[in-house]
Amino acid sequence: MADSAQTFHAGEHYSNQDATVQYPTYNISRPPLQVLDIELGPCCRSAKWCSDGEAILTGNEDRFLDVYSVDEQSSDNPNDNQSPSLAKRSFRQGSPIYETAWYPYATPRNPSTYCFLASLRDTPVRLVDATDGRLRASYKIVDHRERFVAPHSIAFNLTAQKFYCGFLDAIEVFDLSVPGEGTRLHTIPSKKSRDGLRGIISSLVFCPDHSGLFAAGTFSSSIGMLSEDTGGQILMYLDDVKGPASQLLFHPTNPRLLFARFRHEQSLYVWDVRNTSQCYSSLKGPITPSQPSNQRRYFDIDSSGQWLVDGDQDGNMNIYKVDTLQSENRSVLSFPAHEDAISTAVFRPTKTMVLSVSGSRRFDVEKTENGPETTGDDGGNIIEISDDEDEEEDGATESDSDSDSGVERRAPRTVGARSKVTIGDSRMKLWRFSME
């Protein structure tokens, strides 16, 4: 592996004698040990580790960005069962949160790099200091009606000098050091054309081979490959796409493999970018959930490229072996981790740990002649609500939310109908695997 421009000290998992990285090794023969369990309250959309695994960033539906600093009370021995502790800092935002992205070299050890990007509806993209929540810079996307547009996907390129933002029918490219306006890459030739990537760009990911190649997926069930050198020109399309793309991820050590998750699909799918005419492989868990869901659920691949972790709608965590793939692959380890849908399952960098987050909104539409109630049968919040935020077009209107309950209030879809919405088991857990 080539020398890195920045070195992180992460205990005995890294060798400082040479430039080679000693990846964490996982014992998948038995379920991991739960070392941390935190009740979140509001529904958490996603959770992301910073580059050295010393902090966690979460975006919540109550319009709060939370940063958790990890305090390692135990030794560097992965078999030590002492739990780490988390120190939480919360930053309230004025609009619903669409997407977040850590600066690729963010670490609490270096305050200058300790920051992240946040996309809030109808506002410019914000570069936020993770220490105190102050605004460092803003980057605006303006549509043809001079309204601010918030991207649904954000991705840094591999040099961390630029970041790409995906929204309706376009990708905006910003230089991190130059706040203000960026360069727009239109993903369709014209409004009437059927060519290109039409719809909201829901996911962006860069190929780890430093070729400048990146993939873009849409909520309109299309995936295309682009390059930093050719701008908005679509180099190739992926065929046999299963539905609206909610996450794309390249294999870290085999960059020709692209993994994808789709809404309404319980399985993960893999493409070989050298032959995009058909799906290369699929990953299926041992249990089929009762019904499909629109909720975004995030998976992750460990840094060695050997294991993939994913959570399903029923709260089970599944581990797949992905260094070698068959046409259809089953999980090698599956265990119950939560009592609700797992929205995020991600490996901790440099440690044999996995972070998981659960929680979902549950709808029960009923006809009523009375006004909306305030509490549900199980004590949860009951509100009147419309479509999912991720499916709204830019510029849609929404009323204010109640930050205490973490549940938003919006106009009902039909007169006399109300949606009972309760938040399920919203929790964050940390799991430790034993060493092989």
Side-chain angles (χ1 to χ4, degrees):
M1 181 176 292
D3 292 357
S4 175
Q6 186 164 351
T7 301
F8 298 112
H9 303 283
E12 63 187 16
H13 297 302
Y14 276 90
S15 173
N16 294 324
Q17 304 299 321
D18 51 45
T20 60
V21 177
Q22 302 299 319
Y23 295 112
T25 55
Y26 298 86
N27 184 0
I28 310 296
S29 61
R30 58 180 180 270
L33 176 68
Q34 179 184 314
V35 297
L36 195 65
D37 184 0
I38 299 177
E39 184 175 359
L40 299 177
C43 190
C44 178
R45 286 180 173 267
S46 65
K48 301 177 181 180
W49 290 103
C50 69
S51 59
D52 61 353
E54 298 297 324
I56 304 166
L57 170 65
T58 65
N60 307 307
E61 291 197 348
D62 62 352
R63 304 183 182 184
F64 274 89
L65 292 168
D66 295 332
V67 176
Y68 297 84
S69 299
V70 182
D71 182 14
E72 292 287 356
Q73 299 176 344
S74 62
S75 66
D76 288 334
N77 181 10
N79 294 315
D80 191 335
N81 294 333
Q82 188 173 356
S83 301
S85 62
L86 298 182
K88 175 184 173 182
R89 293 184 300 276
S90 297
F91 311 125
R92 179 171 175 80
Q93 307 302 309
S95 300
I97 301 165
Y98 278 178
E99 177 65 302
T100 58
W102 279 107
Y103 177 65
Y105 300 114
T107 169
R109 303 173 188 269
N110 186 354
S112 64
T113 65
Y114 195 40
C115 58
F116 59 88
L117 293 170
S119 170
L120 312 177
R121 198 171 79 175
D122 299 333
T123 62
V125 179
R126 302 162 59 89
L127 181 63
V128 182
D129 191 296
T131 302
D132 53 15
R134 62 184 171 88
L135 177 66
R136 289 192 181 183
S138 62
Y139 309 84
K140 59 182 180 180
I141 304 173
V142 181
D143 66 8
H144 63 286
R145 288 185 281 183
E146 298 185 353
R147 302 176 306 175
F148 289 123
V149 176
H152 288 254
S153 56
I154 301 176
F156 280 91
N157 66 358
L158 296 189
T159 64
Q161 296 176 345
K162 296 181 179 181
F163 64 92
Y164 288 58
C165 299
F167 56 103
L168 183 64
D169 298 336
I171 299 172
E172 198 88 0
V173 184
F174 293 97
D175 189 323
L176 186 66
S177 62
V178 184
E181 296 185 0
T183 302
R184 185 158 305 178
L185 309 178
H186 292 281
T187 57
I188 57 173
S190 65
K191 289 294 183 181
K192 296 182 179 181
S193 174
R194 292 189 176 183
D195 298 330
L197 293 176
R198 181 173 294 277
I200 294 176
I201 307 297
S202 57
S203 182
L204 292 168
V205 63
F206 277 83
C207 186
D209 62 357
H210 291 269
S211 64
L213 188 71
F214 65 96
T218 73
F219 283 141
S220 300
S221 305
S222 59
I223 301 175
M225 306 297 297
L226 301 90
S227 174
E228 291 188 87
D229 300 329
T230 58
Q233 179 183 354
I234 311 298
L235 302 181
M236 64 187 80
Y237 294 92
L238 271 61
D239 295 332
D240 198 21
V241 174
K242 308 300 181 181
S246 60
Q247 185 188 2
L248 302 176
L249 185 64
F250 278 101
H251 194 284
T253 60
N254 189 357
R256 65 182 178 86
L257 296 181
L258 177 65
F259 293 74
R261 153 150 282 152
F262 304 99
R263 284 180 168 178
H264 312 297
E265 285 287 339
Q266 312 302 337
S267 303
L268 300 174
Y269 296 90
V270 188
W271 276 262
D272 188 330
V273 297
R274 299 174 301 180
N275 179 18
T276 59
S277 61
Q278 61 182 357
C279 183
Y280 175 74
S281 180
S282 64
L283 288 74
K284 299 183 178 181
I287 301 176
T288 302
S290 55
Q291 59 183 1
S293 171
N294 268 336
Q295 182 178 6
R296 276 197 178 192
R297 291 186 285 114
Y298 295 90
F299 63 92
D300 189 32
I301 303 175
D302 78 307
S303 54
S304 68
Q306 187 175 8
W307 307 107
L308 182 148
V309 62
D310 178 39
D312 65 25
Q313 188 178 336
D314 295 331
N316 302 298
M317 191 179 298
N318 304 314
I319 307 291
Y320 302 87
K321 186 175 177 62
V322 294
D323 53 350
T324 57
L325 290 173
Q326 307 297 325
S327 59
E328 182 175 310
N329 304 268
R330 293 288 180 176
S331 60
V332 297
L333 175 64
S334 181
F335 60 94
H338 292 268
E339 296 180 1
D340 200 1
I342 298 178
S343 60
T344 299
V346 58
F347 288 101
R348 183 181 181 186
T350 74
K351 300 286 187 179
T352 55
M353 291 183 176
V354 168
L355 177 72
S356 63
V357 174
S358 67
S360 64
R361 293 180 292 182
R362 300 176 181 179
F363 300 83
D364 183 14
V365 180
E366 293 182 353
K367 293 288 183 178
T368 178
E369 296 179 356
N370 301 322
E373 301 176 12
T374 56
T375 57
D377 296 336
D378 57 356
N381 299 298
I382 296 181
I383 63 174
E384 292 185 346
I385 194 163
S386 61
D387 294 337
D388 187 272
E389 278 180 13
D390 286 337
E391 307 232 347
E392 294 175 357
E393 295 185 0
D394 297 321
T397 60
E398 181 186 81
S399 60
D400 293 335
S401 67
D402 185 348
S403 60
D404 294 333
S405 65
V407 182
E408 301 160 3
R409 294 183 179 271
R410 285 179 267 179
R413 284 171 288 200
T414 58
V415 177
R418 64 184 175 85
S419 296
K420 293 172 59 176
V421 181
T422 60
I423 303 300
D425 179 43
S426 183
R427 311 190 73 87
M428 180 165 61
K429 297 183 180 182
L430 191 61
W431 309 81
R432 176 182 283 119
F433 287 88
S434 60
M435 294 280 287
E436 288 184 343

